[in-house]
């Protein structure tokens, strides 16, 4: 029997960094010339900033000189030039897929993906999911949203290209998800980490032996969390599986260009597909040093339809070029994408992400997986309240005493981990609303954030 292949594309994945970056620079220069010449959106933007593609002669030039684009700019351009904006890049007759942003406010940003790009997306998604460990022998349960959100569709295409058996059940109907997971014998689960935690909680309440589930691998998309130790440990121990992170944003499809290998040391960044930069949080034209946290800026190298050139995602991460035992020479985001700069909470001058709160809560025995942070203002001072359910599997003799003791422990842990004094409320199981996709963990009722940053 032939040995199992270690890589989807060994030549690309293991080549020297210098060789890869020569190709990347050539692709960047080619994209810049094309978008400046053919796409009015970019020509207007670059002219307004006094930039011309001929100025880019190095990767450093690219970071220093090319102005970023933002999601709001894309929305505004689509409103002025419906339906796909003045950066489509192909004839509308060449569009194979129309998807859209998963945002909950305003009109969604439309993504028009050409036939050629969709075929390429499928190949790259296959490489990403192969990196995470999906193989042709797997049965992949896709508990993801199928609709305008592109993540589930891309995952489906990639796993099918690998040759795996796919089970695209979608998100929701949790009891049916669980019944069919065990009946079908799903070996891989793809979902958001929030939904996997909810499924775990529900399975335990229904009496499933979750640690002996058929799952061997969980791959998590759509939100931060899978790379955070507390969340990862809960999922791995709860389901008896290995956890892998995928970290990027839907505008940058193919999104599996950031994928974690079997060594679990963070996501490999497929730089020869999407050039990914870590930049200063306040100045996107200044590179952040290796291993220093900053904003994530993405650029399509090969996409012809709606190419994103220096898209400021507002993700936060850090990057390292330290070697990985798997032999891939791509850089890594050791903690994946651990938050969005827009999601960072500033409470009495202290900075904290909802994912940090979640990690702290999961580290306290007796807490459940659902929580909500509510921010208010008392005069000029911020107040922060955490409501968290207790573990529904516990058999308690004195519920009020247990809740009081748990609140004290949770408050102390949060203070230690975040330096914020939270008011803690312990709730009965099944009190908070469940999310089947991305969870909304924060209710901010403060009338203004000015005082919080003073």
């Amino acid at each position: 029997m032939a040995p199992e292949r270690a890589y989807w594309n060994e030549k690309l994945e293991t080549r020297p960094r210098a060789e890869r970056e020569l190709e990347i620079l050539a692709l960047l220069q080619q994209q810049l010339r094309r978008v400046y010449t053919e796409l009015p959106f970019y020509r207007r933007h670059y002219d307004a900033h006094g930039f011309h593609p001929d100025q880019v002669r190095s990767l450093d030039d690219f970071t220093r000189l090319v102005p970023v684009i933002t999601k709001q700019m894309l929305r505004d351009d689509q409103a002025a030039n419906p339906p796909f904006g003045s950066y489509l890049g192909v004839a509308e007759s060449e569009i194979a897929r129309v998807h859209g942003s998963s945002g909950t406010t305003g009109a969604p940003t439309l993504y028009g993906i050409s036939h050629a790009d969709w075929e390429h997306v499928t190949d790259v998604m296959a490489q990403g999911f192969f990196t995470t460990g999906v193989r042709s022998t797997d049965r992949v349960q896709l508990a993801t949203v199928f609709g305008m959100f592109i993540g589930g569709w891309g995952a489906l295409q990639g796993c099918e290209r690998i040759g795996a058996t796919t089970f695209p059940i979608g998100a929701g109907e949790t009891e049916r998800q669980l019944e069919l997971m065990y009946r079908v014998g799903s070996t891989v689960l793809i979902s958001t980490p929030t939904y996997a935690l909810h499924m775990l909680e529900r399975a335990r309440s229904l009496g499933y032996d979750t640690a002996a589930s058929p799952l061997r691998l969980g791959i998590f998309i759509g939100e931060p969390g899978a790379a955070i130790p507390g969340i990862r440990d809960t999922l791995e121990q709860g389901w008896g599986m290995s956890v892998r992170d995928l970290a990027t944003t839907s505008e940058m499809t193919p999104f599996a260009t950031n994928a974690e290998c079997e060594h679990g040391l963070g996501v490999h960044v497929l730089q020869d597909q999407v050039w990914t930069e870590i930049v200063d949080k306040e100045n996107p034209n200044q590179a952040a040093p290796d291993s220093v946290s900053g904003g994530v800026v993405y650029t399509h190298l090969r996409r012809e339809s709606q190419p994103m050139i220096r898209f400021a995602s507002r993700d936060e991460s850090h990057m390292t070029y330290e070697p990985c035992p798997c032999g891939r020479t791509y850089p890594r985001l050791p903690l994946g994408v651990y938050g969005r700069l827009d999601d960072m909470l500033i409470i009495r001058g202290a900075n904290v992400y909802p994912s940090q709160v979640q990690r702290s809560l999961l580290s306290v025995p007796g807490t459940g997986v659902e929580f909500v942070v509510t921010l208010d203002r008392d005069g000029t001072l911020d107040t922060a309240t955490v409501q968290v359910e207790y573990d529904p599997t516990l058999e308690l003799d004195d519920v009020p005493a247990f809740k009081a003791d748990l609140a004290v422990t949770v408050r102390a842990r949060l203070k230690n981990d975040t330096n914020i004094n939270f008011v803690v409320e312990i709730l009965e199981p099944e009190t908070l609303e469940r999310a089947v996709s991305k969870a909304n963990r924060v209710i901010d009722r403060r009338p203004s954030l000015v005082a919080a940053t003073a």
Side-chain angles (χ1 to χ4, degrees), residues 266-282:
V267 295
H268 289 276
V269 185
L270 277 59
Q271 292 284 51
D272 42 19
Q273 300 296 336
V274 171
W275 177 241
T276 302
E277 307 164 78
I278 307 295
V279 300
D280 183 86
K281 295 178 187 179
E282 303 299 328

Side-chain angles (χ1 to χ4, degrees), residues 70-114:
T70 65
K71 181 173 284 191
Q72 190 58 52
M73 291 170 60
L74 302 177
R75 288 175 176 155
D76 291 345
D77 189 65
Q78 288 195 354
N81 302 279
F84 299 108
S86 60
Y87 55 95
L88 178 58
V90 297
E92 291 191 15
S93 61
E94 295 181 39
I95 295 174
R97 291 269 189 150
V98 176
H99 287 280
S101 64
S102 55
T104 57
T105 59
T109 307
L110 295 179
Y111 310 142
I113 305 176
S114 71

Side-chain angles (χ1 to χ4, degrees), residues 181-235:
M181 175 194 293
Y182 283 78
R183 181 177 170 189
V184 170
S186 302
T187 59
V188 178
L189 174 67
I190 300 176
S191 73
T192 64
T194 289
Y195 191 51
L197 288 169
H198 170 55
M199 290 175 67
L200 176 63
E201 177 187 64
R202 189 66 182 137
R204 286 171 168 167
S205 71
L206 293 171
Y208 285 92
D209 183 358
T210 57
S213 78
L215 297 174
R216 70 172 190 86
L217 183 64
I219 303 170
F220 297 106
I221 66 175
E223 62 183 10
I228 296 171
I231 300 171
R232 169 167 293 205
D233 293 345
T234 299
L235 290 169

Side-chain angles (χ1 to χ4, degrees), residues 123-193:
D123 283 334
V124 179
M125 296 292 280
Q127 180 181 339
F129 280 96
F130 192 88
T131 298
T132 66
V134 176
R135 297 295 182 265
S136 61
T137 52
D138 279 309
R139 295 178 184 176
V140 182
Q141 182 162 335
L142 291 110
T144 62
V145 174
F146 286 94
M148 290 191 70
F149 174 58
I150 198 168
W153 296 104
L156 174 63
Q157 297 286 104
C159 291
E160 286 182 340
R161 180 61 56 89
I162 290 170
T165 300
T166 56
F167 179 30
I169 188 172
E173 297 187 271
T174 303
E175 291 189 20
R176 183 166 175 79
Q177 291 265 4
L178 295 167
E179 173 198 348
L180 291 173
M181 175 194 293
Y182 283 78
R183 181 177 170 189
V184 170
S186 302
T187 59
V188 178
L189 174 67
I190 300 176
S191 73
T192 64

Side-chain angles (χ1 to χ4, degrees), residues 224 277-284 292-297 311-318 337-346 351-355 449:
E277 307 164 78
I278 307 295
V279 300
D280 183 86
K281 295 178 187 179
E282 303 299 328
N283 181 4
V292 173
S293 190
V296 187
V297 174
F311 176 74
S313 66
R314 303 298 293 167
D315 290 340
E316 182 172 358
S317 189
H318 66 277
V337 170
Y338 36 79
R340 292 187 182 273
L341 298 175
D342 302 306
D343 292 341
M344 186 176 69
L345 307 177
I346 305 175
N351 299 338
V352 63
Y353 286 107
S355 58
L449 297 182

